[in-house]
């Protein structure tokens, strides 16, 4: 098993480098880089800009716009070339793309992700600041999905083909078909003062007076705020996990060893939880790390926007719009590395749940 883990860890390096190369290359062809973002903000100041740059002289402005560094930037008309050069040096765009990429990767290997272009904060501090919201959504959504889906999936497998199985399948299909953000809007309309009841708060992770509350009050306030976001982010994963659990149990129930156990006179409960459960839950339990990571980094943007939560999804979206490359590439590197490592952890979970699995022998 040690050799298998070592091979997987070594494979992480070229995979991560490949991910970074593809994304870095694509950004070279995307219009509207960070310099253009700064220029757009400056040009929006209008008269203030012209006063700073000697704006009354139209001939001088035309001369400045005529060549040099300004040729590359549409929004640089009327700005001194020296100013554009300073921006390029500040953002590191005075160097060739290959040199910028190698420097970036060398810094990332030392976990030095630099500072945000547009915020006076390091990328690490920015991620740490937004992490509580995303961990809240990811962890509780995953735990809730497992807590509901596993018992329901087992029940559906045992009562396969009965009216219970039919109507729960209908409810699951409806839940899977409803987008999470649409379900979130419906929850707000019903329970957050939209048109009916005002039971839950509309925004934020805690109340304004959270620091003044007792320990129990803080816990209750926290769960009061996260109830609707967690339900909204769980709905689609809950449907998928329930059907996966049901199908896994159905597949195991029909195998020969189950018929043998029943023939020996074992009770249905002993057969189900003593023999079937371990084999059927292999794929469900082993997939927990990857499911948590997917919920943590993949599905939070719209939920965060609707419930006014400032998490990683919203941060990544805003960074992409602003072309804040240190935040974009820093988080891509960190989360890509985390995702690859979680893939290895998922394989180890398979072995932990069922020691009969030997990945090393299969690869050999």
């Amino acid at each position: 098993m040690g050799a298998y883990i070592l091979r997987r860890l070594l494979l992480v390096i070229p995979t991560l480098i490949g991910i970074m190369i593809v994304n870095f290359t694509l950004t070279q062809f995307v219009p509207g880089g960070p310099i253009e973002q700064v220029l757009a903000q400056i040009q929006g100041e209008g008269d203030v800009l012209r006063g700073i740059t000697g704006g009354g002289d139209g001939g001088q402005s035309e001369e400045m716009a005529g060549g040099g560094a300004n040729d590359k930037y549409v929004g640089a008309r009327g700005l001194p070339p020296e100013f554009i050069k300073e921006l390029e040096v500040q953002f590191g765009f005075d160097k060739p793309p290959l040199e910028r990429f190698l420097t970036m990767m060398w810094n990332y290997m030392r976990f030095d992700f630099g500072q945000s272009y547009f915020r006076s904060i390091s990328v690490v501090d920015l991620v740490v600041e937004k992490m509580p919201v995303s961990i809240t959504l990811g962890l509780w959504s995953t735990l809730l999905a497992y807590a509901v889906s596993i018992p329901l999936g087992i029940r559906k497998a045992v009562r396969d083909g009965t009216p219970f199985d039919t109507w729960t399948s209908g409810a699951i299909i409806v839940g899977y078909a409803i987008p999470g953000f649409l379900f979130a809007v419906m929850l707000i309309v019903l329970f957050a003062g939209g048109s009916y009841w005002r039971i839950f708060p509309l925004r934020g992770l805690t109340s304004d007076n959270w620091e003044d509350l007792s320990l129990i009050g803080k816990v209750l306030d926290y769960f009061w705020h996260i109830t609707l976001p967690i339900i909204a982010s769980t709905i689609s994963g809950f449907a998928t996990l329930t059907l996966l659990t049901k199908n896994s149990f159905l597949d195991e129930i029909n195998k020969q060893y189950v018929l043998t156990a029943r023939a020996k006179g074992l009770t249905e409960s002993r057969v189900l939880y003593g023999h079937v459960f371990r084999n059927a839950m292999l794929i469900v339990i082993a997939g927990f790390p990857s499911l948590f990571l997917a919920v943590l980094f993949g599905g939070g943007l719209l939920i965060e926007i609707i419930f006014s939560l400032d998490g990683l999804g919203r941060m990544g979206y805003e960074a992409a719009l602003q072309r804040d490359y240190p935040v974009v590439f820093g988080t891509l590197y960190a989360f890509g590395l985390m995702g690859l490592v979680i893939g290895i952890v998922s394989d180890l979970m398979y072995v932990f749940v069922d020691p009969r699995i030997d990945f090393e022998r299969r690869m050999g």
Side-chain angles (χ1 to χ4, degrees), residues 238-290:
F238 151 77
T240 304
L241 192 57
T242 300
L243 295 178
L244 177 62
T245 303
K246 175 193 174 182
N247 293 333
S248 297
F249 268 80
L250 280 178
D251 185 55
E252 291 296 324
I253 287 174
N254 295 324
K255 289 185 177 179
Q256 183 63 42
Y257 75 90
V258 176
L259 298 177
T260 303
R262 286 171 175 165
K264 290 181 178 179
L266 297 180
T267 63
E268 192 65 24
S269 177
R270 179 70 182 276
V271 171
L272 187 62
Y273 293 102
H275 294 76
V276 176
F277 186 85
R278 180 176 180 178
N279 295 326
M281 290 304 297
L282 174 62
I283 188 173
V284 178
I285 295 177
F288 180 88
S290 57

